[in-house]
Amino acid sequence: MARKIIIDTDPGQDDAVAILLALASPEALEVLGITAVAGNVPLSLTQRNARIVCELAGRRDIRVFAGCEKPLAHALVTAEHVHGKTGLDGIDLPEPTMPLQEMHGVDFIIETLRTEPADTVTLCPLGPLTNIATAFRTAPDIIPKVQEIVLMGGAYFEVGNITPAAEFNIYVDPEAAEIVFKSGVPLTVMPLDVTHKVLTTRPRIEAIRAIGSSVAHAVAQWTDFFERFDMEKYGHDGAPLHDPCVIAHLINPGLFSGRHINVEIETMSELTRGMTVADWWGVTKRPKNAHFMGDVDADGFYDLLTERLARL
Ligand code: RIB
Ligand code: CA
């Protein structure tokens, strides 16, 4: 029985690859809908980009919703320096013709969780947690009905990527992250500690390009574009492919390992805003609220990704 998921996303080339991986795995995942959130680029572009990706995958049937256009308490911080002006720079794809759903993304999350049986819907946030937190604040009755949240965000040993202390998704909306991390919902976190181990090395990207399809070509072009920033910054022979780690974990959790620990979010200090304070060594008595991933079989991850992209 395929696992029902809602993908909450701010495409973003890596978000786009995550969406493609999910749509290529129907035996494992049923995508109930995609909710766009402001993050890498403004909402007007993330909702457009999500529809572009669905059309690229030949899935005009997928319902795409626009969610929140700004964080709960801060001005929006975007990442065009990484993802380009459109958020999907690297290849020119046609404007989407599939419709954007009328309903607000937050209302879709609430309605879905109220309608589906308890413990049957997993939320997969790939960007700032504004939509998820707003849904929880608006309709607290849905919180106990969520099966699990598997998100990309945070960092501990890898420290920050947008500030010295914080990873982008958490930094953009730390108040939303605090609501999610304190919600009590079973939480699995894919931090930079893991995503920085799945690098877009040349052999891996050429193996994807060699598939020869329009989907594979787009993925190779996207990674060629968005990897330049991190390669220059970190000096590695590839860039981290962050968001597909969330979907890969749902398909094959054995690729990842981590610890069940306490993770709290810094929201008060400007210097460390958005830091995920992960009690990896168990030095506090704070309640364990997150399965925080620390390692990944990177070759296994890319084997899975390449095999699935070849299906589209
Ligand atoms: O820090 C990496 C995260 O920020 C990824 O989700 C990327 O898409 C951006 O949203
Ligand atoms: Ca993202």
Side-chain angles (χ1 to χ4, degrees), residues 147-199:
Q147 178 180 27
E148 183 180 13
I149 293 174
V150 185
L151 67 85
M152 191 279 140
Y156 185 56
F157 294 102
E158 275 299 300
V159 296
N161 60 358
I162 188 75
T163 73
E167 177 278 327
F168 178 81
N169 288 341
I170 309 299
Y171 175 77
V172 168
D173 200 339
E175 286 72 21
E178 184 175 49
I179 289 170
V180 171
F181 277 69
K182 287 192 168 166
S183 68
V185 172
L187 187 56
T188 298
V189 179
M190 292 288 156
L192 298 181
D193 304 57
V194 160
T195 67
H196 280 200
K197 294 176 180 173
V198 287
L199 298 179

Side-chain angles (χ1 to χ4, degrees), residues 10 14-15 40 126-127 169 243:
D10 63 335
D14 60 321
D15 301 69
N40 285 320
L126 310 178
N169 288 341
D243 294 336

Side-chain angles (χ1 to χ4, degrees), residues 103 112 127 148 164 185 205 230 243 303 308:
M103 185 184 285
T112 303
E148 183 180 13
V185 172
I205 298 309
D230 278 336
D243 294 336
D303 289 348
R308 294 296 158 100

